[in-house]
Amino acid sequence: MKVAVSSDHAGFPLKQTVIDALEALGHTPIDLGTDSLESVDYPDFAEKAGQAIVDGRSERAVVICGSGVGACISGNKMVGVYACLCHDTYSAAQGVEHDQMNMLCLGARIIGSELAKVIVKAFVAAQPSTDPRHLRRVGKIRKIESRELKGPLNE
């Protein structure tokens, strides 16, 4: 699977660990930056990873910032991107299985490299459920998304 990986400066120290973990699991990471500790803005890098999902260059993405929160908020502003902040393996797997999450957000200042590796493994190993109750719920999420696209700010 192709997985876009990006980070801001705070996430940069963990980014190579994520890339290495994906490669070790047989996946193809797409490194979308940043490439240093120089201060950058997390929305720019969440958008790069989200755009890779939207345009089909990657099936999923991992975005890393200091807490993971800003990356998650930014990713969820993109149509077709379903970003979740996960600092445990259960949420990383269930987010894909039940909710069709396609962007994993991590906080480099919250978790260490060993935990990041197992979270990433759970994320990429999970497959979306075809259970009707999960599909119904995801359908409702997509209806909210569609309705909000037509909302007062977009008229």
Short mmCIF file of all heavy atoms in Angstrom, two decimals, residues 138-148:
data_model
loop_
_atom_site.label_atom_id
_atom_site.label_comp_id
_atom_site.label_asym_id
_atom_site.label_seq_id
_atom_site.Cartn_x
_atom_site.Cartn_y
_atom_site.Cartn_z
N VAL A 138 -20.98 5.11 8.38
CA VAL A 138 -20.07 5.85 7.49
C VAL A 138 -20.89 6.63 6.46
O VAL A 138 -20.55 7.78 6.13
CB VAL A 138 -19.05 4.90 6.83
CG1 VAL A 138 -18.29 5.60 5.71
CG2 VAL A 138 -18.08 4.36 7.88
N GLY A 139 -21.97 6.04 5.98
CA GLY A 139 -22.86 6.76 5.06
C GLY A 139 -23.41 8.02 5.68
O GLY A 139 -23.55 9.06 5.01
N LYS A 140 -23.75 7.95 6.95
CA LYS A 140 -24.24 9.14 7.65
C LYS A 140 -23.17 10.21 7.76
O LYS A 140 -23.45 11.41 7.63
CB LYS A 140 -24.78 8.76 9.03
CG LYS A 140 -26.09 7.98 8.93
CD LYS A 140 -26.62 7.63 10.30
CE LYS A 140 -27.97 6.91 10.15
NZ LYS A 140 -28.64 6.69 11.43
N ILE A 141 -21.93 9.80 7.98
CA ILE A 141 -20.82 10.75 8.03
C ILE A 141 -20.69 11.44 6.68
O ILE A 141 -20.54 12.66 6.59
CB ILE A 141 -19.49 10.04 8.40
CG1 ILE A 141 -19.54 9.55 9.85
CG2 ILE A 141 -18.30 10.97 8.17
CD1 ILE A 141 -18.40 8.61 10.21
N ARG A 142 -20.78 10.68 5.62
CA ARG A 142 -20.64 11.24 4.27
C ARG A 142 -21.80 12.20 3.96
O ARG A 142 -21.62 13.20 3.26
CB ARG A 142 -20.54 10.12 3.25
CG ARG A 142 -19.29 9.26 3.48
CD ARG A 142 -18.43 9.13 2.28
NE ARG A 142 -17.07 8.69 2.50
CZ ARG A 142 -16.65 7.58 3.07
NH1 ARG A 142 -17.50 6.74 3.60
NH2 ARG A 142 -15.37 7.28 3.13
N LYS A 143 -22.99 11.92 4.47
CA LYS A 143 -24.12 12.82 4.27
C LYS A 143 -23.89 14.14 4.99
O LYS A 143 -24.20 15.21 4.46
CB LYS A 143 -25.43 12.19 4.74
CG LYS A 143 -25.98 11.17 3.77
CD LYS A 143 -27.29 10.61 4.26
CE LYS A 143 -27.80 9.54 3.31
NZ LYS A 143 -29.05 8.93 3.78
N ILE A 144 -23.36 14.08 6.20
CA ILE A 144 -23.02 15.31 6.93
C ILE A 144 -21.99 16.11 6.12
O ILE A 144 -22.14 17.32 5.94
CB ILE A 144 -22.46 14.99 8.34
CG1 ILE A 144 -23.55 14.37 9.22
CG2 ILE A 144 -21.87 16.24 8.98
CD1 ILE A 144 -23.02 13.76 10.51
N GLU A 145 -20.98 15.44 5.64
CA GLU A 145 -19.94 16.09 4.85
C GLU A 145 -20.55 16.78 3.62
O GLU A 145 -20.26 17.95 3.35
CB GLU A 145 -18.90 15.05 4.43
CG GLU A 145 -17.76 15.58 3.61
CD GLU A 145 -16.78 14.49 3.24
OE1 GLU A 145 -17.19 13.47 2.65
OE2 GLU A 145 -15.59 14.66 3.55
N SER A 146 -21.39 16.08 2.91
CA SER A 146 -22.02 16.62 1.71
C SER A 146 -22.91 17.82 2.05
O SER A 146 -22.88 18.84 1.37
CB SER A 146 -22.84 15.53 1.02
OG SER A 146 -23.49 16.05 -0.10
N ARG A 147 -23.69 17.70 3.11
CA ARG A 147 -24.58 18.78 3.52
C ARG A 147 -23.77 20.02 3.92
O ARG A 147 -24.11 21.14 3.55
CB ARG A 147 -25.47 18.31 4.67
CG ARG A 147 -26.53 19.30 5.09
CD ARG A 147 -27.49 18.74 6.12
NE ARG A 147 -26.82 18.32 7.35
CZ ARG A 147 -26.76 17.05 7.79
NH1 ARG A 147 -27.33 16.07 7.14
NH2 ARG A 147 -26.13 16.76 8.92
N GLU A 148 -22.69 19.83 4.64
CA GLU A 148 -21.88 20.96 5.08
C GLU A 148 -21.17 21.65 3.91
O GLU A 148 -20.93 22.84 3.95
CB GLU A 148 -20.87 20.52 6.14
CG GLU A 148 -21.50 20.18 7.46
CD GLU A 148 -22.27 21.35 8.06
OE1 GLU A 148 -21.72 22.46 8.15
OE2 GLU A 148 -23.44 21.15 8.44
#
